[in-house]
Amino acid sequence: MGITARLAVLPPGRKELELETVDLPEPGPWEVVIEQQAFGICHSQLDLIDNPSRAEPLVIGHESAGVVVATGENVTHVQPGDDVLLTWLPRDPSASRAPGASRIPLRDGRVAVTHNVFAWGTHAVVDEQYVVTAPAGLSPDLTSIIGCAVMTGAGSVLNAAGDVSGRSVAVWGLGGVGLAALSGAHALGASSLIAVDIHDEKLEVARSMGATHVVNARTDDPEAVIRQLTGGPGVDVGFDCTGIGENLARSLGAVRAGVAGRGAGGTLVLVGAPRAPFSFNGMQLLSTSKTLIGALGGLCSPDRDFPVFAEWANRGDLRLDELVTNRYSLSELDEGIQDLRAGRVVGRAVVVL
């Protein structure tokens, strides 16, 4: 095949990425080689960078947009020249074959491994189950975040919360995932949409994307404000995208309670991945008949759901142009990572190639 690529490699025992030149292997029978056009910088990848306890080099990243340049002999749903998206959930969960994880030989004889896919580089070699046909009419720097940020945030609204049309909704935490959840709730007709964060600039973006009310949790008690805005009971549905375990008691407390014999309470969807163990008052959940549900990856089936997100974007309900707030070149990847760490990324950061 003869393709030379530049990949961001995380050496074992280190927290600093190195851009390495590699010679890509021929794709296996079920693999797809993608020339990247843009990829997202997801906060979850910082957790991988910050954990040096690995024995092998790691290639990371899990959302991107690009063009197919080669396929294995068993790949039938895409072909060279196709515009595609890369994601980290299998596109067809009902498939009988379990997808394989990527492995990339390095020039010094080592092999870089992944959990399933990688996206940070000029090219990717991934199992076809992680490759979805890209929607037409949208720029790759915008569609590159569908494979994680949009899938996780908007997907949680689409798949985990039931029908939100005409219901009151609160979204806690307004990074790329939270803003995608807010956009999803707006697209599906939430009657009131309350955005909660500690950064005013993120709250302003949320307002422009359809939030009817915004709450700065640094200066106000969001649970009290939400109860006031809803006339006392709290919201019908909450989405906690913060990844902060101790916030769960507050976001759950802001969901309306049910009454025994009269009906269940509201629902809180746990969207953000907690980075430490947490606890909350289980009696509160039991006595109020509320529902708490986790939604890994927005409970998405990418083949089914990505066209829905594209439809929302094409009609202007999913504001990808406002979700993507920071752009970098590949050589500026480390700058993007540091900006994300320092809270200088309002929505989602992408690298454009």
mmCIF file of all heavy atoms in Angstrom, residues 171 173-175 178-183 186 192-197 199-216 219-220 225 229 316-317 319 322-323 346:
data_model
loop_
_atom_site.group_PDB
_atom_site.id
_atom_site.type_symbol
_atom_site.label_atom_id
_atom_site.label_comp_id
_atom_site.label_asym_id
_atom_site.label_seq_id
_atom_site.Cartn_x
_atom_site.Cartn_y
_atom_site.Cartn_z
ATOM 1 N N VAL A 171 -29.645 20.768 31.531
ATOM 2 C CA VAL A 171 -28.368 20.186 31.118
ATOM 3 C C VAL A 171 -27.275 20.771 31.999
ATOM 4 O O VAL A 171 -27.097 21.996 32.055
ATOM 5 C CB VAL A 171 -28.064 20.472 29.633
ATOM 6 C CG1 VAL A 171 -26.700 19.899 29.253
ATOM 7 C CG2 VAL A 171 -29.149 19.884 28.734
ATOM 8 N N GLY A 173 -23.319 21.061 32.794
ATOM 9 C CA GLY A 173 -21.989 20.900 32.205
ATOM 10 C C GLY A 173 -22.033 21.133 30.713
ATOM 11 O O GLY A 173 -22.615 20.328 29.968
ATOM 12 N N LEU A 174 -21.417 22.227 30.250
ATOM 13 C CA LEU A 174 -21.609 22.663 28.865
ATOM 14 C C LEU A 174 -20.320 22.626 28.058
ATOM 15 O O LEU A 174 -19.969 23.581 27.367
ATOM 16 C CB LEU A 174 -22.203 24.078 28.848
ATOM 17 C CG LEU A 174 -23.555 24.224 29.550
ATOM 18 C CD1 LEU A 174 -23.981 25.677 29.587
ATOM 19 C CD2 LEU A 174 -24.615 23.368 28.857
ATOM 20 N N GLY A 175 -19.614 21.494 28.136
ATOM 21 C CA GLY A 175 -18.543 21.257 27.180
ATOM 22 C C GLY A 175 -19.160 20.806 25.859
ATOM 23 O O GLY A 175 -20.352 20.996 25.595
ATOM 24 N N GLY A 178 -22.086 18.387 26.594
ATOM 25 C CA GLY A 178 -23.243 19.058 27.172
ATOM 26 C C GLY A 178 -23.965 19.947 26.172
ATOM 27 O O GLY A 178 -25.205 19.971 26.122
ATOM 28 N N LEU A 179 -23.207 20.685 25.361
ATOM 29 C CA LEU A 179 -23.839 21.525 24.345
ATOM 30 C C LEU A 179 -24.543 20.676 23.288
ATOM 31 O O LEU A 179 -25.590 21.066 22.763
ATOM 32 C CB LEU A 179 -22.799 22.437 23.701
ATOM 33 C CG LEU A 179 -22.273 23.568 24.591
ATOM 34 C CD1 LEU A 179 -21.117 24.295 23.911
ATOM 35 C CD2 LEU A 179 -23.388 24.552 24.948
ATOM 36 N N ALA A 180 -23.985 19.499 22.994
ATOM 37 C CA ALA A 180 -24.657 18.593 22.059
ATOM 38 C C ALA A 180 -25.956 18.077 22.662
ATOM 39 O O ALA A 180 -26.972 17.945 21.963
ATOM 40 C CB ALA A 180 -23.738 17.429 21.696
ATOM 41 N N ALA A 181 -25.957 17.784 23.969
ATOM 42 C CA ALA A 181 -27.191 17.350 24.629
ATOM 43 C C ALA A 181 -28.228 18.462 24.597
ATOM 44 O O ALA A 181 -29.416 18.232 24.338
ATOM 45 C CB ALA A 181 -26.899 16.933 26.066
ATOM 46 N N LEU A 182 -27.780 19.686 24.873
ATOM 47 C CA LEU A 182 -28.697 20.816 24.839
ATOM 48 C C LEU A 182 -29.293 20.986 23.443
ATOM 49 O O LEU A 182 -30.498 21.204 23.277
ATOM 50 C CB LEU A 182 -27.951 22.074 25.273
ATOM 51 C CG LEU A 182 -28.790 23.338 25.455
ATOM 52 C CD1 LEU A 182 -28.315 24.112 26.681
ATOM 53 C CD2 LEU A 182 -28.707 24.227 24.231
ATOM 54 N N SER A 183 -28.448 20.866 22.413
ATOM 55 C CA SER A 183 -28.939 20.964 21.035
ATOM 56 C C SER A 183 -29.936 19.857 20.723
ATOM 57 O O SER A 183 -30.933 20.079 20.027
ATOM 58 C CB SER A 183 -27.773 20.892 20.049
ATOM 59 O OG SER A 183 -27.080 22.112 19.985
ATOM 60 N N HIS A 186 -33.207 20.691 22.280
ATOM 61 C CA HIS A 186 -33.834 21.763 21.503
ATOM 62 C C HIS A 186 -34.437 21.204 20.220
ATOM 63 O O HIS A 186 -35.576 21.539 19.845
ATOM 64 C CB HIS A 186 -32.806 22.835 21.197
ATOM 65 C CG HIS A 186 -33.331 23.969 20.369
ATOM 66 N ND1 HIS A 186 -34.311 24.830 20.813
ATOM 67 C CD2 HIS A 186 -33.006 24.372 19.106
ATOM 68 C CE1 HIS A 186 -34.566 25.720 19.871
ATOM 69 N NE2 HIS A 186 -33.787 25.462 18.827
ATOM 70 N N SER A 192 -38.976 23.915 27.960
ATOM 71 C CA SER A 192 -38.035 24.820 28.608
ATOM 72 C C SER A 192 -36.713 24.089 28.742
ATOM 73 O O SER A 192 -36.680 22.877 28.973
ATOM 74 C CB SER A 192 -38.547 25.281 29.973
ATOM 75 O OG SER A 192 -38.684 24.186 30.868
ATOM 76 N N LEU A 193 -35.629 24.847 28.588
ATOM 77 C CA LEU A 193 -34.309 24.237 28.494
ATOM 78 C C LEU A 193 -33.349 25.051 29.338
ATOM 79 O O LEU A 193 -32.979 26.179 28.987
ATOM 80 C CB LEU A 193 -33.880 24.206 27.024
ATOM 81 C CG LEU A 193 -32.653 23.437 26.606
ATOM 82 C CD1 LEU A 193 -32.641 22.034 27.192
ATOM 83 C CD2 LEU A 193 -32.611 23.354 25.070
ATOM 84 N N ILE A 194 -32.955 24.477 30.478
ATOM 85 C CA ILE A 194 -32.145 25.189 31.465
ATOM 86 C C ILE A 194 -30.708 24.679 31.374
ATOM 87 O O ILE A 194 -30.452 23.474 31.505
ATOM 88 C CB ILE A 194 -32.695 24.979 32.884
ATOM 89 C CG1 ILE A 194 -34.163 25.402 32.945
ATOM 90 C CG2 ILE A 194 -31.859 25.750 33.898
ATOM 91 C CD1 ILE A 194 -34.878 24.974 34.218
ATOM 92 N N ALA A 195 -29.769 25.586 31.137
ATOM 93 C CA ALA A 195 -28.354 25.238 31.014
ATOM 94 C C ALA A 195 -27.615 25.644 32.275
ATOM 95 O O ALA A 195 -27.769 26.770 32.760
ATOM 96 C CB ALA A 195 -27.747 25.936 29.803
ATOM 97 N N VAL A 196 -26.791 24.724 32.813
ATOM 98 C CA VAL A 196 -26.064 24.969 34.061
ATOM 99 C C VAL A 196 -24.571 24.773 33.829
ATOM 100 O O VAL A 196 -24.144 23.732 33.318
ATOM 101 C CB VAL A 196 -26.539 24.016 35.177
ATOM 102 C CG1 VAL A 196 -25.833 24.340 36.488
ATOM 103 C CG2 VAL A 196 -28.050 24.066 35.348
ATOM 104 N N ASP A 197 -23.784 25.770 34.218
ATOM 105 C CA ASP A 197 -22.324 25.660 34.132
ATOM 106 C C ASP A 197 -21.737 26.710 35.066
ATOM 107 O O ASP A 197 -22.467 27.495 35.680
ATOM 108 C CB ASP A 197 -21.840 25.867 32.689
ATOM 109 C CG ASP A 197 -20.479 25.242 32.428
ATOM 110 O OD1 ASP A 197 -19.457 25.863 32.769
ATOM 111 O OD2 ASP A 197 -20.426 24.105 31.909
ATOM 112 N N HIS A 199 -19.138 28.709 33.849
ATOM 113 C CA HIS A 199 -18.464 29.656 32.964
ATOM 114 C C HIS A 199 -19.500 30.449 32.176
ATOM 115 O O HIS A 199 -20.298 29.870 31.425
ATOM 116 C CB HIS A 199 -17.525 28.927 32.005
ATOM 117 C CG HIS A 199 -16.437 28.155 32.685
ATOM 118 N ND1 HIS A 199 -15.382 28.768 33.323
ATOM 119 C CD2 HIS A 199 -16.260 26.822 32.835
ATOM 120 C CE1 HIS A 199 -14.582 27.849 33.839
ATOM 121 N NE2 HIS A 199 -15.086 26.655 33.565
ATOM 122 N N ASP A 200 -19.456 31.767 32.307
ATOM 123 C CA ASP A 200 -20.437 32.608 31.622
ATOM 124 C C ASP A 200 -20.356 32.486 30.113
ATOM 125 O O ASP A 200 -21.382 32.537 29.424
ATOM 126 C CB ASP A 200 -20.243 34.074 32.030
ATOM 127 C CG ASP A 200 -20.754 34.374 33.437
ATOM 128 O OD1 ASP A 200 -21.671 33.660 33.890
ATOM 129 O OD2 ASP A 200 -20.232 35.303 34.077
ATOM 130 N N GLU A 201 -19.128 32.322 29.561
ATOM 131 C CA GLU A 201 -19.020 32.227 28.106
ATOM 132 C C GLU A 201 -19.703 30.971 27.567
ATOM 133 O O GLU A 201 -20.299 30.991 26.486
ATOM 134 C CB GLU A 201 -17.554 32.275 27.662
ATOM 135 C CG GLU A 201 -16.670 31.163 28.182
ATOM 136 C CD GLU A 201 -15.989 31.488 29.499
ATOM 137 O OE1 GLU A 201 -16.579 32.231 30.321
ATOM 138 O OE2 GLU A 201 -14.863 31.003 29.707
ATOM 139 N N LYS A 202 -19.667 29.883 28.331
ATOM 140 C CA LYS A 202 -20.366 28.674 27.913
ATOM 141 C C LYS A 202 -21.878 28.870 28.027
ATOM 142 O O LYS A 202 -22.649 28.367 27.184
ATOM 143 C CB LYS A 202 -19.914 27.478 28.748
ATOM 144 C CG LYS A 202 -18.457 27.099 28.515
ATOM 145 C CD LYS A 202 -18.110 25.784 29.179
ATOM 146 C CE LYS A 202 -16.680 25.378 28.849
ATOM 147 N NZ LYS A 202 -16.346 24.021 29.296
ATOM 148 N N LEU A 203 -22.307 29.568 29.038
ATOM 149 C CA LEU A 203 -23.738 29.827 29.202
ATOM 150 C C LEU A 203 -24.260 30.701 28.071
ATOM 151 O O LEU A 203 -25.393 30.512 27.605
ATOM 152 C CB LEU A 203 -23.992 30.484 30.550
ATOM 153 C CG LEU A 203 -23.715 29.592 31.771
ATOM 154 C CD1 LEU A 203 -23.753 30.410 33.051
ATOM 155 C CD2 LEU A 203 -24.722 28.445 31.846
ATOM 156 N N GLU A 204 -23.439 31.627 27.579
ATOM 157 C CA GLU A 204 -23.872 32.455 26.456
ATOM 158 C C GLU A 204 -24.004 31.630 25.182
ATOM 159 O O GLU A 204 -24.927 31.829 24.384
ATOM 160 C CB GLU A 204 -22.891 33.613 26.247
ATOM 161 C CG GLU A 204 -23.016 34.704 27.300
ATOM 162 C CD GLU A 204 -24.453 35.211 27.427
ATOM 163 O OE1 GLU A 204 -25.048 35.595 26.397
ATOM 164 O OE2 GLU A 204 -24.986 35.205 28.555
ATOM 165 N N VAL A 205 -23.079 30.706 24.963
ATOM 166 C CA VAL A 205 -23.201 29.805 23.805
ATOM 167 C C VAL A 205 -24.471 28.974 23.945
ATOM 168 O O VAL A 205 -25.217 28.784 22.981
ATOM 169 C CB VAL A 205 -21.958 28.898 23.686
ATOM 170 C CG1 VAL A 205 -22.167 27.845 22.601
ATOM 171 C CG2 VAL A 205 -20.722 29.735 23.378
ATOM 172 N N ALA A 206 -24.738 28.478 25.148
ATOM 173 C CA ALA A 206 -25.949 27.685 25.374
ATOM 174 C C ALA A 206 -27.200 28.491 25.064
ATOM 175 O O ALA A 206 -28.153 27.978 24.454
ATOM 176 C CB ALA A 206 -25.988 27.189 26.811
ATOM 177 N N ARG A 207 -27.198 29.751 25.438
ATOM 178 C CA ARG A 207 -28.364 30.591 25.159
ATOM 179 C C ARG A 207 -28.575 30.737 23.647
ATOM 180 O O ARG A 207 -29.697 30.689 23.154
ATOM 181 C CB ARG A 207 -28.181 31.966 25.813
ATOM 182 C CG ARG A 207 -29.473 32.775 25.894
ATOM 183 C CD ARG A 207 -29.198 34.189 26.386
ATOM 184 N NE ARG A 207 -28.702 34.236 27.752
ATOM 185 C CZ ARG A 207 -29.497 34.190 28.824
ATOM 186 N NH1 ARG A 207 -30.806 34.060 28.684
ATOM 187 N NH2 ARG A 207 -28.977 34.267 30.041
ATOM 188 N N SER A 208 -27.466 30.901 22.915
ATOM 189 C CA SER A 208 -27.582 31.054 21.462
ATOM 190 C C SER A 208 -28.016 29.759 20.785
ATOM 191 O O SER A 208 -28.499 29.787 19.656
ATOM 192 C CB SER A 208 -26.241 31.516 20.885
ATOM 193 O OG SER A 208 -25.279 30.469 20.879
ATOM 194 N N MET A 209 -27.845 28.627 21.486
ATOM 195 C CA MET A 209 -28.202 27.325 20.915
ATOM 196 C C MET A 209 -29.566 26.839 21.386
ATOM 197 O O MET A 209 -29.911 25.684 21.157
ATOM 198 C CB MET A 209 -27.113 26.305 21.251
ATOM 199 C CG MET A 209 -25.771 26.627 20.614
ATOM 200 S SD MET A 209 -24.449 25.503 21.099
ATOM 201 C CE MET A 209 -24.957 24.007 20.273
ATOM 202 N N GLY A 210 -30.322 27.679 22.054
ATOM 203 C CA GLY A 210 -31.691 27.319 22.384
ATOM 204 C C GLY A 210 -32.051 27.268 23.842
ATOM 205 O O GLY A 210 -33.212 27.009 24.179
ATOM 206 N N ALA A 211 -31.083 27.503 24.750
ATOM 207 C CA ALA A 211 -31.418 27.490 26.176
ATOM 208 C C ALA A 211 -32.388 28.625 26.489
ATOM 209 O O ALA A 211 -32.167 29.772 26.095
ATOM 210 C CB ALA A 211 -30.155 27.627 27.020
ATOM 211 N N THR A 212 -33.451 28.311 27.204
ATOM 212 C CA THR A 212 -34.401 29.344 27.610
ATOM 213 C C THR A 212 -33.978 30.030 28.890
ATOM 214 O O THR A 212 -34.373 31.172 29.150
ATOM 215 C CB THR A 212 -35.804 28.739 27.803
ATOM 216 O OG1 THR A 212 -35.736 27.665 28.755
ATOM 217 C CG2 THR A 212 -36.347 28.198 26.490
ATOM 218 N N HIS A 213 -33.157 29.343 29.702
ATOM 219 C CA HIS A 213 -32.635 29.918 30.941
ATOM 220 C C HIS A 213 -31.216 29.399 31.141
ATOM 221 O O HIS A 213 -30.899 28.263 30.749
ATOM 222 C CB HIS A 213 -33.481 29.529 32.160
ATOM 223 C CG HIS A 213 -34.937 29.858 32.027
ATOM 224 N ND1 HIS A 213 -35.834 28.998 31.425
ATOM 225 C CD2 HIS A 213 -35.649 30.946 32.416
ATOM 226 C CE1 HIS A 213 -37.037 29.542 31.449
ATOM 227 N NE2 HIS A 213 -36.951 30.719 32.044
ATOM 228 N N VAL A 214 -30.370 30.208 31.761
ATOM 229 C CA VAL A 214 -29.007 29.776 32.086
ATOM 230 C C VAL A 214 -28.754 30.040 33.561
ATOM 231 O O VAL A 214 -29.273 31.004 34.134
ATOM 232 C CB VAL A 214 -27.948 30.488 31.215
ATOM 233 C CG1 VAL A 214 -28.154 30.162 29.746
ATOM 234 C CG2 VAL A 214 -27.958 31.992 31.439
ATOM 235 N N VAL A 215 -27.955 29.175 34.181
ATOM 236 C CA VAL A 215 -27.648 29.277 35.609
ATOM 237 C C VAL A 215 -26.145 29.106 35.801
ATOM 238 O O VAL A 215 -25.573 28.094 35.389
ATOM 239 C CB VAL A 215 -28.390 28.197 36.428
ATOM 240 C CG1 VAL A 215 -28.111 28.387 37.922
ATOM 241 C CG2 VAL A 215 -29.880 28.203 36.137
ATOM 242 N N ASN A 216 -25.515 30.092 36.419
ATOM 243 C CA ASN A 216 -24.104 29.984 36.775
ATOM 244 C C ASN A 216 -24.010 29.344 38.152
ATOM 245 O O ASN A 216 -24.368 29.945 39.167
ATOM 246 C CB ASN A 216 -23.428 31.358 36.767
ATOM 247 C CG ASN A 216 -21.918 31.243 36.926
ATOM 248 O OD1 ASN A 216 -21.416 30.452 37.717
ATOM 249 N ND2 ASN A 216 -21.188 32.035 36.158
ATOM 250 N N THR A 219 -22.098 31.109 41.125
ATOM 251 C CA THR A 219 -22.660 32.254 41.847
ATOM 252 C C THR A 219 -24.069 32.009 42.377
ATOM 253 O O THR A 219 -24.543 32.754 43.240
ATOM 254 C CB THR A 219 -22.688 33.487 40.935
ATOM 255 O OG1 THR A 219 -23.453 33.188 39.748
ATOM 256 C CG2 THR A 219 -21.277 33.882 40.518
ATOM 257 N N ASP A 220 -24.753 30.997 41.877
ATOM 258 C CA ASP A 220 -26.128 30.707 42.301
ATOM 259 C C ASP A 220 -26.266 29.241 42.693
ATOM 260 O O ASP A 220 -25.449 28.404 42.298
ATOM 261 C CB ASP A 220 -27.120 31.021 41.177
ATOM 262 C CG ASP A 220 -27.169 32.500 40.835
ATOM 263 O OD1 ASP A 220 -27.424 33.304 41.738
ATOM 264 O OD2 ASP A 220 -26.934 32.837 39.664
ATOM 265 N N VAL A 225 -32.570 27.490 41.884
ATOM 266 C CA VAL A 225 -33.003 28.276 40.727
ATOM 267 C C VAL A 225 -33.882 27.436 39.810
ATOM 268 O O VAL A 225 -34.909 27.906 39.297
ATOM 269 C CB VAL A 225 -31.780 28.818 39.961
ATOM 270 C CG1 VAL A 225 -32.221 29.492 38.665
ATOM 271 C CG2 VAL A 225 -30.996 29.799 40.825
ATOM 272 N N LEU A 229 -37.639 28.208 38.633
ATOM 273 C CA LEU A 229 -38.007 28.348 37.219
ATOM 274 C C LEU A 229 -39.128 27.399 36.821
ATOM 275 O O LEU A 229 -39.896 27.684 35.889
ATOM 276 C CB LEU A 229 -36.777 28.100 36.336
ATOM 277 C CG LEU A 229 -35.682 29.163 36.381
ATOM 278 C CD1 LEU A 229 -34.445 28.686 35.623
ATOM 279 C CD2 LEU A 229 -36.189 30.480 35.795
ATOM 280 N N GLY A 316 -30.599 23.069 10.828
ATOM 281 C CA GLY A 316 -30.213 24.146 11.727
ATOM 282 C C GLY A 316 -30.526 23.935 13.182
ATOM 283 O O GLY A 316 -30.282 24.834 14.006
ATOM 284 N N ASP A 317 -31.030 22.775 13.566
ATOM 285 C CA ASP A 317 -31.347 22.516 14.971
ATOM 286 C C ASP A 317 -30.129 22.066 15.766
ATOM 287 O O ASP A 317 -30.040 22.317 16.972
ATOM 288 C CB ASP A 317 -32.447 21.458 15.080
ATOM 289 C CG ASP A 317 -33.806 22.003 14.699
ATOM 290 O OD1 ASP A 317 -34.022 23.216 14.881
ATOM 291 O OD2 ASP A 317 -34.647 21.226 14.212
ATOM 292 N N ARG A 319 -26.424 22.794 16.088
ATOM 293 C CA ARG A 319 -25.536 23.881 15.656
ATOM 294 C C ARG A 319 -24.070 23.450 15.767
ATOM 295 O O ARG A 319 -23.346 23.859 16.690
ATOM 296 C CB ARG A 319 -25.817 25.116 16.498
ATOM 297 C CG ARG A 319 -27.278 25.549 16.492
ATOM 298 C CD ARG A 319 -27.671 26.228 15.204
ATOM 299 N NE ARG A 319 -27.089 27.562 15.164
ATOM 300 C CZ ARG A 319 -27.639 28.618 15.756
ATOM 301 N NH1 ARG A 319 -28.782 28.496 16.426
ATOM 302 N NH2 ARG A 319 -27.059 29.789 15.677
ATOM 303 N N GLU A 322 -21.416 26.102 16.099
ATOM 304 C CA GLU A 322 -21.208 26.696 17.419
ATOM 305 C C GLU A 322 -20.617 25.702 18.406
ATOM 306 O O GLU A 322 -19.994 26.100 19.403
ATOM 307 C CB GLU A 322 -22.528 27.247 17.953
ATOM 308 C CG GLU A 322 -23.060 28.410 17.130
ATOM 309 C CD GLU A 322 -24.205 29.136 17.825
ATOM 310 O OE1 GLU A 322 -24.047 29.473 19.008
ATOM 311 O OE2 GLU A 322 -25.239 29.338 17.179
ATOM 312 N N LEU A 323 -20.797 24.410 18.156
ATOM 313 C CA LEU A 323 -20.187 23.394 19.013
ATOM 314 C C LEU A 323 -18.671 23.362 18.843
ATOM 315 O O LEU A 323 -17.929 23.175 19.809
ATOM 316 C CB LEU A 323 -20.767 22.017 18.689
ATOM 317 C CG LEU A 323 -22.061 21.615 19.380
ATOM 318 C CD1 LEU A 323 -22.608 20.334 18.788
ATOM 319 C CD2 LEU A 323 -21.827 21.450 20.866
ATOM 320 N N VAL A 346 -14.342 26.323 24.867
ATOM 321 C CA VAL A 346 -15.733 26.519 25.280
ATOM 322 C C VAL A 346 -16.597 25.335 24.874
ATOM 323 O O VAL A 346 -17.403 24.825 25.657
ATOM 324 C CB VAL A 346 -16.296 27.826 24.680
ATOM 325 C CG1 VAL A 346 -17.775 27.984 25.006
ATOM 326 C CG2 VAL A 346 -15.500 29.020 25.214
#
